[in-house]
Amino acid sequence: MSVGGDRHLDEDLIVRAIVDEESLSPEAREHLAGCGRCAEEKTRTEATLLNLGRTAKRIAPASRLKASDIVEKVTRRRSSWGWLGTHKVGIAAAAMLVVISGFALDALQENRLSAVNREIVEDARFMNEIDRLEDETLPTVFLEITDGPDADIDEDAPEHLVPPPSAQHLSGLEKSKIC
Amino acid sequence: MDQATPYMVQTTDNRAPDTSAADQSAILAERARNGDAIAFERLVNLYQEEVFRMVYYRIRSRMDAEDLTQDVFLQAYRGLGSLKETDRFRPWLFRIALNRVRDYLRHKKFLSFFGFASLDGDPPEEGETDLVHSPGVLDDLMRREFWEKVNALSTLLSPVEREVFFLRFMDDLNLKEISQVLKKSESAVKTHLYRALKKYRDDATLAEMLEGGVQ
């Protein structure tokens, strides 16, 4: 700092005085109050800066907004969404309910599907058993005698054991019936 | 509306002599916070020009500044309940405006990256060139020259220095209000302002240009 005698406030002190005169030391403030040159330097800079703001204000376009329009828009937007605020808890509960019921429905549907699938599998197994029984109607012991289910059937063997009824035999039977 | 309510008296010419604008705003903000739409309308009346200009200085587009001003008041209306100290209404409103401007500029920067928008302000619109006192081409030139000077000054400063400088000298806020807008201590605001002024004073060309041009 350079104050006192014929010395003046330096650049830093002038700037500090513009920012906040209270921040200067009492000595510097006293000098500023009594020194025309320093006071003028400060005032000139301040005036330029204040003019900057004044000019900006003067040449900036005027707003076409009307306070009443702003208020109307603000309150309308507020009221159109206002119900959201007043029924916040209800809306949240409803949303939760929808989500939960969605999950529950999914689970229910899944259970139903699995039951149907289980039934299909059971049916298939049952049909397989029927098919097997159709193919292997004789007990296992007979299968062993006949060399298994795939053994060739000798068509003459049963004839040898049980002779087929002859025409004579049949006519005798019919005669005895008539008598 | 009850005509006898105190703020109705204060907002007219019958304003109590010892009631400052800040006190008046505090009363109106208090009432608006309690759901008084007329009090809010009076606040809009008091501050809409100021907010519009503040936004315009930063984005230089009248139409967008009008939209943002509306947004600022919408946000203020919604957030009034959270305003604890109603005597700080003005800096609080400026803070909202500043945040909206930042969002806007960020969005514009993003669009300009993809070539959808220009970072410069919009060209003057029809109504923008109509100065009340002296319309004409000269005014357009003067306006352009002025904003060029402001831009030149802006480029010298860091973002925070620029904001402090603008709030102090363009928007006419005091140090306490600036500290509330920027949520910084007063001493920090003074430091930024000091640095901004030093840069301005050190750049002789700019200082001369401003002194010569805005007198």
Side-chain angles (χ1 to χ4, degrees):
Chain A
M1 184 180 100
S2 53
V3 182
D6 55 349
R7 292 192 299 173
H8 297 281
L9 296 185
D10 60 16
E11 177 72 19
D12 282 357
L13 287 175
I14 292 285
V15 173
R16 272 177 63 184
I18 294 167
V19 172
D20 180 22
E21 206 173 312
E22 298 295 308
S23 66
L24 295 180
S25 66
E27 189 191 4
R29 255 184 288 168
E30 198 180 319
H31 175 85
L32 189 64
C35 173
R37 188 176 143 183
C38 290
E40 195 194 326
E41 176 68 11
K42 178 185 171 256
T43 311
R44 194 172 55 82
T45 310
E46 268 179 339
T48 305
L49 295 168
L50 291 176
N51 247 334
L52 190 74
R54 273 200 285 267
T55 310
K57 192 174 176 176
R58 189 162 49 85
I59 69 166
S63 165
R64 289 166 298 194
L65 293 170
K66 285 180 186 162
S68 53
D69 292 344
I70 295 177
V71 173
E72 195 196 322
K73 277 182 188 166
V74 164
T75 48
R76 197 176 55 213
R77 272 202 239 179
R78 171 77 175 180
S79 60
S80 61
W81 289 95
W83 60 273
L84 254 181
T86 49
H87 301 292
K88 236 181 262 173
V89 178
I91 291 163
M96 285 284 282
L97 200 68
V98 168
V99 171
I100 289 168
S101 55
F103 279 124
L105 259 175
D106 270 0
L108 199 69
Q109 214 159 0
E110 212 166 293
N111 280 346
R112 268 189 202 163
L113 275 174
S114 62
V116 169
N117 283 338
R118 221 178 299 129
E119 220 168 297
I120 290 170
V121 170
E122 288 285 319
D123 283 350
R125 198 184 302 146
F126 186 59
M127 287 307 292
N128 278 341
E129 213 165 313
I130 289 170
D131 289 345
R132 197 168 50 80
L133 280 172
E134 272 178 1
D135 293 343
E136 303 162 17
T137 43
L138 291 171
T140 329
V141 121
F142 284 96
L143 289 177
E144 279 166 9
I145 294 168
T146 57
D147 292 336
D150 299 328
D152 291 333
I153 295 166
D154 186 1
E155 296 288 337
D156 298 334
E159 274 181 33
H160 179 70
L161 290 171
V162 186
S166 62
Q168 199 181 358
H169 181 74
L170 278 173
S171 60
L173 278 173
E174 277 172 12
K175 268 181 199 167
S176 62
K177 240 182 193 176
I178 296 163
C179 294
Chain B
M1 177 68 212
D2 182 12
Q3 294 295 315
T5 46
Y7 70 86
M8 287 298 281
V9 176
Q10 285 165 357
T11 49
T12 63
D13 291 340
N14 302 327
R15 188 188 301 175
D18 57 341
T19 309
S20 68
D23 291 340
Q24 188 189 0
S25 303
I27 295 167
L28 289 170
E30 183 71 49
R31 289 186 174 267
R33 196 168 59 177
N34 295 328
D36 187 338
I38 295 173
F40 184 73
E41 188 173 347
R42 295 209 164 264
L43 282 173
V44 175
N45 257 320
L46 273 176
Y47 290 109
Q48 66 137 328
E49 277 293 332
E50 214 176 356
V51 170
F52 168 79
R53 275 198 303 271
M54 183 265 191
V55 174
Y56 180 81
Y57 294 158
R58 287 154 179 84
I59 68 173
R60 315 269 169 80
S61 159
R62 181 195 214 169
M63 211 181 280
D64 290 345
E66 285 171 347
D67 287 346
L68 286 187
T69 305
Q70 282 195 14
D71 285 354
V72 168
F73 283 105
L74 175 67
Q75 217 170 323
Y77 189 70
R78 283 179 179 164
L80 262 174
S82 66
L83 177 64
K84 298 281 177 281
E85 292 156 276
T86 48
D87 56 333
R88 291 186 179 185
F89 180 78
R90 189 181 182 225
W92 179 73
L93 194 66
F94 269 77
R95 185 170 173 77
I96 294 174
L98 200 60
N99 285 334
R100 291 296 296 119
V101 168
R102 277 180 192 159
D103 289 345
Y104 170 90
L105 292 175
R106 218 173 285 149
H107 182 68
K108 204 167 179 187
K109 200 172 177 183
F110 177 76
L111 290 180
S112 75
F113 181 76
F114 294 102
F116 293 123
S118 159
L119 276 179
D120 304 327
D122 292 350
E125 295 156 32
E126 201 180 320
E128 224 165 313
T129 55
D130 298 339
L131 276 182
V132 179
H133 303 296
S134 48
V137 181
L138 265 177
D139 290 323
D140 280 348
L141 278 174
M142 191 189 88
R143 179 180 294 110
R144 203 166 303 144
E145 198 186 340
F146 174 78
W147 291 121
E148 273 168 17
K149 286 173 186 172
V150 174
N151 285 345
L153 174 64
S154 297
T155 51
L156 277 181
L157 312 174
S158 73
V160 66
E161 287 165 1
R162 183 165 55 231
E163 205 45 70
V164 170
F165 185 90
F166 268 51
L167 287 168
R168 178 72 192 93
F169 296 110
M170 306 274 278
D171 306 315
D172 204 22
L173 266 65
N174 61 38
L175 293 173
K176 193 179 175 186
E177 285 174 323
I178 296 170
S179 76
Q180 288 164 356
V181 172
L182 299 176
K183 291 207 169 167
K184 289 184 184 295
S185 67
E186 262 187 70
S187 61
V189 169
K190 282 180 196 172
T191 307
H192 290 303
L193 193 57
Y194 170 83
R195 286 182 191 155
L197 286 176
K198 276 286 283 174
K199 285 180 185 174
Y200 155 71
R201 297 256 304 175
D202 289 348
D203 192 313
T205 326
L206 181 69
E208 269 173 37
M209 192 169 77
L210 282 178
E211 278 172 31
V214 298
Q215 291 296 325

